[in-house]
Amino acid sequence: MDPQRDIRSIFYRALERVDPYGMIKSAVRVEDSDLVISHQGKTLHEDLNTFSEIVVLGIGKASSRMGAAMEEILGDRISRGLVITKHGHAEPLDRITVREAGHPVPDEGSVSGAEPLLNLAGRADEKTLVLNLISGGGSALLSLPAPGITLADKQETTRVLLESG
């Protein structure tokens, strides 16, 4: 019995368990032509042959890591995709475009990424499987102010809220 080794082992297993890449890989798989998603004792099966395209969309600090897992699982079945992650959290992906934006305060990247993400989602039809990868930080990373509200307004509101606890 080596308590230090045991503690280290527990620590690294906990890190593996909460890694966004590992979480997706443990919950999502392809069996024959079925996309299988399992979580908390429930399983969803989707026949990939019923879709003409697969689009992966994501927002959040972990969306790039989750996108990497989805690319490994689905490979060239992914038609296109876009994830928006925090500056410095981007991971190079092959089939999914990665954009960076501000967090916790939205920035120009939060706005410039919103329009293409909405366009990709808007082009989906009943033959499109859209997979959404959402993690913490999305409200800052995806920001498309309504008419009459500026990015500066959203930034100031966010700062005030952050300072208020």
Side-chain angles (χ1 to χ4, degrees):
M1 176 178 241
D2 180 353
Q4 286 186 349
R5 186 192 73 225
D6 293 345
I7 289 171
R8 238 184 256 107
S9 175
I10 292 168
F11 174 75
Y12 287 116
R13 291 187 109 210
L15 285 180
E16 287 173 10
R17 181 68 181 114
V18 298
D19 173 54
Y21 177 90
M23 291 177 79
I24 295 291
K25 290 285 290 179
S26 70
V28 181
R29 66 188 182 282
V30 174
E31 293 178 356
D32 299 318
S33 66
D34 276 3
L35 178 67
V36 181
I37 302 172
S38 301
H39 182 65
Q40 295 182 341
K42 296 180 182 175
T43 302
L44 171 72
H45 291 262
E46 285 294 332
D47 183 356
L48 296 174
N49 291 330
T50 63
F51 300 100
S52 60
E53 63 181 354
I54 298 173
V55 176
V56 177
L57 303 177
I59 57 171
K61 295 174 285 187
S63 63
S64 186
R65 291 279 296 148
M66 293 188 296
M70 292 307 298
E71 281 193 347
E72 186 173 315
I73 294 163
L74 291 168
D76 61 5
R77 287 182 172 107
I78 297 173
S79 307
R80 61 185 182 278
L82 172 64
V83 297
I84 305 170
T85 191
K86 180 179 177 175
H87 290 291
H89 286 67
E91 186 167 315
L93 302 177
D94 295 321
R95 304 193 64 81
I96 302 168
T97 301
V98 180
R99 297 188 104 167
E100 293 180 306
H103 180 277
V105 178
D107 65 6
E108 285 297 330
S110 308
V111 176
S112 67
E115 200 64 47
L117 191 136
L118 291 174
N119 286 337
L120 278 176
R123 290 178 19 205
D125 61 20
E126 66 278 349
K127 298 295 279 177
T128 306
L129 175 61
V130 178
L131 299 170
N132 291 300
L133 309 174
I134 301 171
S135 65
S139 61
L141 297 167
L142 181 70
S143 180
L144 193 58
I149 298 173
T150 66
L151 174 59
D153 294 335
K154 289 195 80 151
Q155 290 170 324
E156 181 58 25
T157 300
T158 301
R159 284 188 190 95
V160 168
L161 288 169
L162 289 169
E163 290 170 4
S164 72

